[in-house]
Amino acid sequence: MENCPCIEAAGPINKTSFILAWSPVLKLIAENLTIDRGGRRVFQDLSFTLDQGTALVVTGANGIGKSSLLRTLAGLVSLAGGDIRLEGGQADRLPFEQTHYFGHQDAVKPALSVLENLTFWRSFSAATPADVFAGKTVAPLEALELLGIAHTAHLPAAYLSAGQKRRLSLSRLLVTPRPIWLMDEPTSALDKASEKQLLDLMNGHLASGGLIVTATHTDLALDTTSILHMRTPDPSEIAPQEMLS
Amino acid sequence: MAFWDYANPTRFLRLVHVVLPWLTGLCVLAFAAGLYMSFFTAPEDYQQGDTVRIMYIHVPAAWLCMMCYTVMSISSIGTLVWKHPLADVSAKSAAPIGAAFTFMALVTGSLWGKPMWGTYWVWDARLTSVLVLLIMYLGLMTLWRTMEDPIKAGKAAAVLTLVGALNLPIIKFSVDWWNTLHQPASVVRMDGPTIHPDILWPLLVMAIAFTLLFFVLHLMAMRNEILRRRVRALRLRAASASHPGAAAATAQPAE
Amino acid sequence: MTGWALDLFQRDLKLSVRIGGSALVGVLFFLAVVTVIPFGVGPDLNLLARIGPAILWIGALLATLLGLDRVFQADREDGTLDLMLMAGRPLELVVLIKCLAHWVATGLPLVIAAPLLAIFLNLEPLAMGAVTLTLLAGTPALTLIGAIGASLTVSLRRGGLLLAVLVVPLAIPVLIFGVSAADAAIHDPVPFLTPFLILCALTLIAAVVGPVASAMALRFSAD
C-alpha cells in the first residue's frame, strides 16, 4: 500500500518575509510512522520532514491520533513501524531527549513552591548544547517573569489557578534549551493575554532555530508553518489483516 | 455579649490576648505548688520508695488524655451540628496536645512499671487502652495533615473523632476482657478505694496544673491555627493577584 | 552528572515529607501492626519476646509495601513521569534515586521506630539492636523490590493491593534472612554473620534488579 492517504502535507507558508539566518542544519524526519494502541491501528505510514525554524501544525478531528503522534515523537509511545530521526542534532542523544513535551498534564507538584518546581526541571532535564540551535537559556525567575507569574515564585504551586499552572509548565520549556517543542493543545486553559505570550514564545523559539510540532484546534499566528492534516482513511483502504497485525 | 459572638475568630483572638497571660500565670503557680507538694510534702511509698512520685505526673497526664478527647468530641459535634467556625480549629489543635499527654502517660507508666514489673512494658489493660488511644490521636493528626482543604479535613476528622468516642468504651471493655482472659492475676492498681489525703492533695493540685496547662496550650494552638489559616488565605490571594507589588506585600504577613 | 541526581533526591524527599507526612503514616501503621499482634496471640511476654523479631519484620514489610504504591503513580498522574522518561537521564538511575529517597522518607523512620516498638514486645537490648540492624540492612531491599511492583501497577487505579500480592513472594527471602539473622543474634550458638551477610547480599542484588526491572516496566507504561 502506498502512503496512507489520510495525510495531506502542505508546503511551508511564509507569513512574513522571513529570511533564514542560518543554514537549516536541524531537520526532524519522520518516516512511515505506524502506531498501534490497545490493539487498534491509530495511523500508519505517516511521513513528514520538518526544517529548522518551522512549526508543523497538526490538525484533524478528535480522536484521529494527533496526541498519539505527538506522544510518539516524544518517545512515549512505541512505534509499530517507521523511524524518527533528528538530523544535525546531538548524535549521542535520541531525538526525544532533545525534545520538550508540553502536553495536557502540567507536571506541577502542588506541594513544592513554584520556583522549586521550575528549578527541578531545569536541573533534571538534560539541555541540548547551544551550538546546535541558538535557543538561549533563561534563568528560572526570569522565565516566570516572562510568563507573568513571578509574584507566585515562593508560593506553593497548589495555590495556582489552572492557567497559572499551565504557564508554570510552559516556563519549563524556557529554562532548558531543547530544539524541538511538542505542544499538544498549547492554548488550553490560557486566557487571551497568555495566548499572546505563548505565541511570542513560540515565534521566538522558531526564530532562534527551533522546531515546533503542535496539535491545535485554534488558529495560531505562527511565523513559519507547515500543516499536517489528519483525516480518517476509508475503511476499504485498510485491509482487515493489517488491523489485526 | 452572647456566647456565640466568640465564634468570630477576630473576637476570639482578642479574648485570647486578654486571657492567656492570666491563665499562663495561674498554670505556673499551680505547677510550682503541685511539684513542691509532690516532691517534698508527699510521703514515700513504703514499698516503692521515691518511684511512687512518678504517679504525680502519670495520673494527671492519663486524666488529661481522656479530657482532651472529650474536648475534641465536643468540638466535633460543634463542627458537624452547628458548623461553628472555631470548632474544627479547636478539635484540630487539641489533637497534638492530647497525643503528647497520652505519650507522656505511656512513658511515665512504663518507667513506673520497670521497677514494679521488671520490664518497661506489659500488656496491661490500662496501658494497652491508652496505647490504642495514642494510635487514634496520631491517626487523626495524620488525617488532618493529609487533607489540603481545612474545612473538608475538619469534617472528616470530626466524623472519625465521634466514631472514636463511641468506640472508646467498647475498646476499653474488650481490652479489659482480653486482658483478664489471659492474665487472671490483676496487676498492681494504684488507686485503691481510699487514697490517703497526703497523696490525694498533691495529686489534685497537679491535676489542676495539668488542666490549666492544657487550656494554655490549647488556646495558643488555636490562635496559631487561626493565624495559619489567615496566612493560607492571604497566600491564596497573593497567587491570584495580578499586581506583583501588592502580592509581595501580602505574601509573608507577620505571624 | 551528580547535580540532577541530588536535585531529584531532594525533590522526592521534600514531596514525601510535605504530602501528608508519609513517614508518619508508615510508622503509625507499623505501630498498629505491632499493637494488634498481642491481641491475637495474647499478652504473654515470653512468647512475645520469642516472636518479637518476626513481628517487627512483618510489620516493617507491610508498612513498606503500604507506602510504595504512590512512588511512581503520583508522578504518572500529573504527567511528571512522561517528562522523566524524556529527560535524557538513565532511567535505571532515576529509579534507584527515587527508591533511595523513598527509603529515607519511609523506610528509615521504620528502622528508627523499631527499637521503641521492640519495648512493647519485651525484647532484650541485644535483640533490639539486632532487629534494628537487620532492618537497616534489609528494608532497602524491600523498597527496591517493591519498586518493581509499583512500576508494574503504575497505571492501575487500585494498584496498592495488587502490588502487595506481586511483591510479597519476592520479598520472602529478605524476610527469611532478616528474621533468622536477628534470631541468631539472640540465641548464642547460631552464627549471626552468615544470615546477615546473605541479607546484605540480597539488598545489593535488589539494588541492581529492582531499578533495571522497574525502568523497563515504566518505559512500557508510558504507551
Side-chain angles (χ1 to χ4, degrees):
Chain A
M1 184 187 295
E2 58 186 342
N3 273 6
C4 183
C6 54
I7 309 298
E8 296 162 5
I13 305 161
N14 280 359
K15 289 191 175 167
T16 55
S17 55
F18 189 72
I19 299 158
L20 295 181
W22 59 84
S23 53
V25 283
L26 273 179
K27 197 178 263 194
L28 181 67
I29 301 164
E31 276 175 348
N32 304 323
L33 302 184
T34 303
I35 304 172
D36 294 333
R37 297 191 83 172
R40 189 177 69 92
R41 177 139 297 179
V42 182
F43 54 76
Q44 64 180 25
D45 294 333
L46 190 154
S47 304
F48 65 85
T49 306
L50 188 62
D51 282 331
Q52 194 160 15
T54 318
L56 183 69
V57 179
V58 186
T59 58
N62 287 334
I64 198 81
K66 300 191 295 290
S67 293
S68 293
L69 174 62
L70 260 64
R71 286 182 68 80
T72 309
L73 294 173
L76 299 170
V77 174
S78 51
L79 285 167
D83 187 29
I84 300 168
R85 277 177 292 134
L86 179 66
E87 269 182 15
Q90 266 187 298
D92 58 339
R93 289 227 177 258
L94 294 166
F96 67 81
E97 290 175 343
Q98 306 173 43
T99 297
H100 272 305
Y101 177 62
F102 181 62
H104 295 289
Q105 292 166 311
D106 295 327
V108 167
K109 292 287 178 195
L112 298 180
S113 81
V114 169
L115 196 60
E116 278 171 337
N117 266 296
L118 189 55
T119 44
F120 167 70
W121 284 116
R122 183 180 65 153
S123 135
F124 189 71
S125 299
T128 308
D131 60 308
V132 180
F133 89 115
K136 60 180 185 303
T137 316
V138 183
L141 267 177
E142 217 177 303
L144 293 177
E145 190 76 55
L146 266 174
L147 287 157
I149 49 171
H151 63 289
T152 64
H154 297 286
L155 294 175
Y159 295 174
L160 298 188
S161 69
Q164 287 174 322
K165 275 185 190 148
R166 198 95 184 115
R167 280 183 268 167
L168 170 57
S169 185
L170 189 61
S171 63
R172 189 167 48 78
L173 275 56
L174 303 176
V175 293
T176 312
R178 286 183 166 195
I180 308 171
W181 287 6
L182 302 174
M183 310 180 96
D184 201 350
E185 297 291 346
T187 52
S188 71
L190 292 182
D191 55 15
K192 280 276 172 261
S194 314
E195 210 178 302
K196 173 79 175 53
Q197 284 173 333
L198 172 75
L199 272 177
D200 288 347
L201 289 174
M202 288 170 83
N203 281 328
H205 181 64
L206 292 178
S208 62
L211 297 80
I212 295 177
V213 181
T214 175
T216 181
H217 287 293
T218 48
D219 271 335
L220 295 173
L222 291 170
D223 291 340
T224 320
T225 54
S226 308
I227 290 176
L228 178 69
H229 184 69
M230 299 172 79
R231 63 170 180 82
T232 5
D234 291 331
S236 59
E237 290 172 24
I238 295 180
Q241 64 268 28
E242 280 187 313
M243 294 175 75
L244 288 172
S245 66
Chain B
M1 191 184 289
F3 171 74
W4 287 107
D5 288 341
Y6 293 106
N8 180 334
T10 311
R11 205 161 284 158
F12 174 80
L13 285 183
R14 222 178 297 143
L15 181 76
V16 169
H17 189 71
V18 176
V19 170
L20 203 54
W22 292 97
L23 211 55
T24 314
L26 266 177
C27 176
V28 170
L29 283 180
F31 260 108
L35 286 173
Y36 177 79
M37 285 166 86
S38 46
F39 276 101
F40 297 104
T41 65
E44 280 183 15
D45 189 86
Y46 74 98
Q47 259 185 330
Q48 302 173 30
D50 266 335
T51 48
V52 78
R53 298 192 197 281
I54 295 176
M55 179 179 75
Y56 300 115
I57 305 287
H58 174 75
V59 173
W63 138 248
L64 264 209
C65 68
M66 306 302 281
M67 193 193 85
C68 188
Y69 203 91
T70 315
V71 169
M72 283 172 64
S73 306
I74 294 168
S75 304
S76 299
I77 296 174
T79 304
L80 292 182
V81 179
W82 298 299
K83 311 214 166 27
H84 197 288
L86 280 175
D88 61 324
V89 173
S90 157
K92 183 180 181 181
S93 14
I97 305 174
F101 280 122
T102 314
F103 187 68
M104 195 194 276
L106 282 176
V107 169
T108 49
S110 67
L111 285 178
W112 196 10
K114 177 70 176 168
M116 285 168 64
W117 303 317
T119 140
Y120 284 110
W121 187 262
V122 292
W123 291 88
D124 161 58
R126 274 162 188 270
L127 281 177
T128 309
S129 314
V130 175
L131 178 61
V132 174
L133 184 63
L134 177 68
I135 295 177
M136 288 181 64
Y137 272 126
L138 294 177
L140 276 168
M141 283 165 64
T142 317
L143 185 63
W144 253 303
R145 277 197 57 160
T146 336
M147 289 191 163
E148 175 69 19
D149 181 2
I151 304 295
K152 259 189 212 158
K155 281 182 185 148
V159 171
L160 184 60
T161 311
L162 288 178
V163 171
L166 287 178
N167 254 313
L168 273 177
I170 304 176
I171 295 171
K172 180 83 176 77
F173 167 75
S174 22
V175 169
D176 279 345
W177 192 79
W178 163 80
N179 193 259
T180 45
L181 189 73
H182 289 284
Q183 274 180 312
S186 75
V187 201
V188 186
R189 298 172 67 91
M190 85 261 140
D191 53 349
T194 52
I195 300 178
H196 195 273
D198 283 353
I199 298 174
L200 186 64
W201 275 112
L203 200 56
L204 272 179
V205 176
M206 281 304 277
I208 291 169
F210 265 71
T211 312
L212 284 172
L213 177 65
F214 168 76
F215 281 115
V216 167
L217 292 176
H218 191 214
L219 285 181
M220 281 176 160
M222 280 178 77
R223 183 188 61 190
N224 291 350
E225 178 62 22
I226 291 170
L227 293 176
R228 202 175 292 129
R229 286 187 188 184
R230 288 193 175 167
V231 169
R232 184 176 184 271
L234 285 173
R235 277 153 73 98
L236 268 173
R237 206 181 307 157
S240 59
S242 47
H243 307 296
T250 52
Q252 291 292 333
E255 203 158 327
Chain C
M1 147 75 200
T2 49
W4 66 266
L6 200 65
D7 282 339
L8 175 64
F9 180 79
Q10 283 174 343
R11 164 188 175 275
D12 269 38
L13 210 55
K14 259 186 224 161
L15 284 174
S16 325
V17 173
R18 287 190 197 167
I19 299 178
S22 59
L24 185 69
V25 185
V27 171
L28 210 52
F29 182 77
F30 194 17
L31 174 67
V33 169
V34 170
T35 310
V36 151
I37 300 239
F39 290 122
V41 303
D44 177 5
L45 287 179
N46 294 326
L47 175 67
L48 287 176
R50 204 168 69 241
I51 61 172
I55 295 174
L56 288 174
W57 257 94
I58 291 171
L61 170 67
L62 294 179
T64 309
L65 292 185
L66 179 86
L68 268 169
D69 59 332
R70 298 297 294 166
V71 179
F72 302 116
Q73 209 173 38
D75 279 343
R76 185 191 152 90
E77 278 166 10
D78 64 9
T80 303
L81 190 63
D82 288 343
L83 300 181
M84 285 186 162
L85 290 168
M86 299 174 62
R89 309 293 185 193
L91 194 58
E92 289 78 9
L93 210 53
V94 171
V95 170
L96 185 65
I97 291 162
K98 282 184 79 71
C99 287
L100 199 65
H102 187 262
W103 180 78
V104 170
T106 61
L108 199 56
L110 296 180
V111 177
I112 294 167
L116 190 68
L117 299 185
I119 295 175
F120 292 131
L121 301 170
N122 194 33
L123 290 193
E124 297 295 313
L126 176 70
M128 232 182 250
V131 173
T132 311
L133 188 63
T134 52
L135 282 176
L136 184 66
T139 43
L142 297 180
T143 303
L144 288 159
I145 295 170
I148 305 175
S151 47
L152 286 170
T153 56
V154 70
S155 55
L156 304 180
R157 193 156 274 286
R158 305 233 323 120
L161 276 179
L162 181 59
L163 182 148
V165 173
L166 296 179
V167 170
V168 161
L170 302 175
I172 286 174
V174 181
L175 191 65
I176 289 175
F177 286 100
V179 175
S180 53
D183 274 339
I186 302 163
H187 308 295
D188 260 339
V190 196
F192 165 75
L193 213 53
T194 317
F196 184 72
L197 286 180
I198 296 178
L199 180 68
C200 294
L202 287 174
T203 300
L204 291 177
I205 293 170
V208 177
V209 175
V212 170
S214 342
M216 212 186 293
L218 287 178
R219 281 201 189 96
F220 292 138
S221 78
D223 214 328

